[in-house]
Amino acid sequence: MLSFTLPCVPSAQQRARHATRNGLSVAYKSASQKANERTLDALLARYAPLSPMAGAVSLEFRAVFPTPKSVSKSRRAAMLRGQQYHTHKPDLDNLAKQLKDAMTRLQYWYDDRQVVRLICQKAYGEVGRWEVCVREMGEA
């Protein structure tokens, strides 16, 4: 089992951009998407297993976002206590896609189709972070 915290504000997988170049339609990633991927890859690299997990994998994560500076003290306190949920962008499924793609690139597993169990949550906190736990399904 691997369990760790990544100290960065979670970001979601963005949709591919499309353009016409020399009469051909091309798809590309935005500069911000590339930067987000580099940051996440750099933080995840230190926790990557020596060899990829071979069997079924369980991935659990909690994407923690800093509270907005514009909210009142009472509302901020409610956010930090978990009484107010993070119902704004980014979407939870796009956060999962970003994390799974990065972990696949770093060979936590051979292919993200090995992830058979996904438990995820968005929340507010003092600082932004990813709280991640990944394990092979045979583990207790």
Side-chain angles (χ1 to χ4, degrees):
M1 177 180 81
L2 298 170
S3 184
F4 50 87
T5 300
L6 305 175
C8 69
V9 176
S11 63
Q13 183 79 27
Q14 296 176 4
R15 297 196 185 278
R17 306 288 181 197
H18 298 276
T20 303
R21 295 191 181 133
N22 298 327
L24 299 172
S25 179
V26 293
Y28 64 95
K29 292 180 180 179
S30 67
S32 63
Q33 175 63 31
K34 288 180 185 178
N36 291 340
E37 288 178 2
R38 281 192 302 271
T39 299
L40 194 54
D41 287 354
L43 293 170
L44 280 168
R46 71 182 294 201
Y47 302 105
L50 297 175
S51 60
M53 297 176 187
V57 175
S58 170
L59 173 63
E60 299 175 28
F61 75 86
R62 186 170 178 242
V64 180
F65 295 90
T67 57
K69 298 200 184 300
S70 60
V71 298
S72 67
K73 287 183 181 181
S74 61
R75 193 161 161 223
R76 183 178 193 279
M79 290 174 168
L80 294 174
R81 284 192 306 267
Q83 294 173 328
Q84 186 167 355
Y85 297 104
H86 188 287
T87 57
H88 305 287
K89 287 186 176 186
D91 294 353
L92 194 55
D93 55 335
N94 292 331
L95 289 165
K97 177 79 172 140
Q98 178 88 319
L99 185 62
K100 284 173 53 185
D101 285 353
M103 294 175 89
T104 301
R105 279 192 303 275
L106 294 169
Q107 294 191 322
Y108 277 73
W109 43 69
Y110 292 105
D111 192 277
D112 60 2
R113 69 176 173 228
Q114 289 174 249
V115 178
V116 298
R117 181 173 177 244
L118 180 63
I119 300 174
C120 45
Q121 175 186 6
K122 292 191 307 183
Y124 286 109
E126 292 288 343
V127 294
R129 65 188 179 276
W130 293 91
E131 297 170 357
V132 182
C133 179
V134 60
R135 69 185 83 183
E136 293 188 77
M137 288 299 287
E139 294 181 21

